[in-house]
Amino acid sequence: MTTEGPRFSEGTLAEYRALLTRYPQRRAALMPILWLAQREFGWLSLPVMEYVATLMELPLAWVTSVASFYTMYWKEPKGRWHIQLCRNLRARCAGQGRSRWPSSAASASATASEPPTAASPSRRSSVWRPAGRHPVLQVNNTEYHENLTVARRSS
């Protein structure tokens, strides 16, 4: 009996091949390839990282070290909503007080169309976006909302 592990779809495999042509060495393409893998599989499990390492002909240690260093790569399944709220000094200077923003963001996730459950939790963490106007809220690694106030966050 053989079990088939994760495999890219034909469309993602074509994107993978196109990405490799943009880099002088395979290792240089690792970060965008991990992003493709996360988009395809939802998160980077060990079998997914092993697949990427095999596909790219790289040591597994290189793949796991990059995936574990960067917070944009998810090493566990995430809920439907992954909310990251910037909590750095620049955000604090822009008026993001500890007492009002985290609780405000938590209430936003609790009142979303699908409230967090054990199977689909909302999570909060820090995000750093130096070019943006703070405070910044990032949703699911795809949407950025900048220059927020509590009133703008609620709308």
Side-chain angles (χ1 to χ4, degrees), residues 39-91:
R39 188 187 71 201
E40 179 89 358
F41 303 111
W43 61 290
L44 299 177
S45 64
L46 184 58
V48 168
M49 289 188 276
E50 289 170 343
Y51 171 65
V52 168
T54 302
L55 188 66
M56 295 188 71
E57 300 172 0
L58 296 173
L60 179 60
W62 287 1
V63 175
T64 56
S65 66
V66 169
S68 64
F69 181 79
Y70 294 99
T71 59
M72 66 185 186
Y73 299 120
W74 300 339
K75 277 68 72 189
E76 60 184 22
K78 299 293 182 188
R80 179 171 178 191
W81 303 108
H82 181 68
I83 299 171
Q84 299 179 46
L85 178 64
C86 184
R87 296 183 290 174
N88 68 17
L89 179 60
R90 184 173 173 184

Side-chain angles (χ1 to χ4, degrees), residues 27 36 73 107:
R27 185 176 182 186
L36 283 179
Y73 299 120
S107 68

Side-chain angles (χ1 to χ4, degrees), residues 106-141:
S107 68
S109 64
T111 59
S113 60
E114 288 189 18
T117 65
S120 179
S122 290
R123 298 200 171 123
R124 292 181 292 129
S125 60
S126 294
V127 59
W128 182 72
R129 186 162 185 212
R133 296 179 313 185
H134 291 286
V136 177
L137 182 73
Q138 178 180 327
V139 181
N140 293 342
N141 277 355

